Amino acid sequence: MIGRLNHVAIAVPDLDAAAALYRDTLGAKVGPPQDEPDHGVTVIFITLPNTKIELLYPLGDNSPIGSFLEKNPAGGIHHICYEVENILEARDKLKADGARVLGTGEPKIGAHGKPVLFLHPKDFSGTLVELEQV
């Protein structure tokens, strides 16, 4: 069901410093900041030859990334994102197999302009999983 690894998301306490680290120290291609108010984050995508890194920074007082950074002040890996061909079919199969879909269970439009869902980390070895339809 899952396809390619789309991205690894890293919550960061300082978006500019993290972007500079990837751009200046590691020589990566760093995109511009992008506010995602529906998700409560500002993101920057870093393009690598085989996948992307998504830097996450809180946007607004109720950002889930703000809560994550309170528990992990230095930041850290927040989630991994896999591509799926059909997000509704993937959701229905996962739910039938006992996995929990976070939120309403209905896809939202993600930072790439495509439907996304998040799966409960307790169902996936402690890892928050995002599915993105391609």
Side-chain angles (χ1 to χ4, degrees):
M1 173 190 354
I2 64 172
R4 293 172 13 113
L5 174 66
N6 184 281
H7 65 267
V8 175
I10 303 172
V12 298
D14 184 331
L15 193 58
D16 292 333
L21 175 69
Y22 278 88
R23 182 184 54 250
D24 302 337
T25 304
L26 295 175
K29 181 181 174 191
V30 175
Q34 178 179 327
D35 289 346
E36 294 294 332
D38 288 347
H39 297 278
V41 295
T42 299
V43 301
I44 290 179
F45 281 101
I46 297 157
T47 304
L48 304 176
N50 60 341
T51 194
K52 295 180 282 296
I53 301 293
E54 179 184 39
L55 301 178
L56 300 170
Y57 184 77
L59 177 65
D61 294 335
N62 296 322
S63 171
I65 300 307
S67 301
F68 182 90
L69 288 171
E70 284 177 13
K71 297 175 193 160
N72 306 280
I77 294 176
H78 183 262
H79 68 268
I80 57 174
C81 177
Y82 298 112
E83 297 176 353
V84 295
E85 291 290 325
N86 185 311
I87 201 159
L88 297 177
E89 287 178 11
R91 176 201 63 193
D92 294 346
K93 181 189 181 325
L94 287 159
K95 286 176 74 173
D97 291 343
R100 290 171 281 179
V101 178
L102 298 178
T104 66
E106 293 302 316
K108 288 185 174 183
I109 299 302
H112 295 120
K114 298 176 182 174
V116 299
L117 288 171
F118 285 88
L119 306 173
H120 201 293
K122 289 185 179 177
D123 298 333
F124 293 92
S125 305
T127 303
L128 179 62
V129 172
E130 179 183 17
L131 299 179
E132 178 176 290
Q133 183 169 293
V134 292

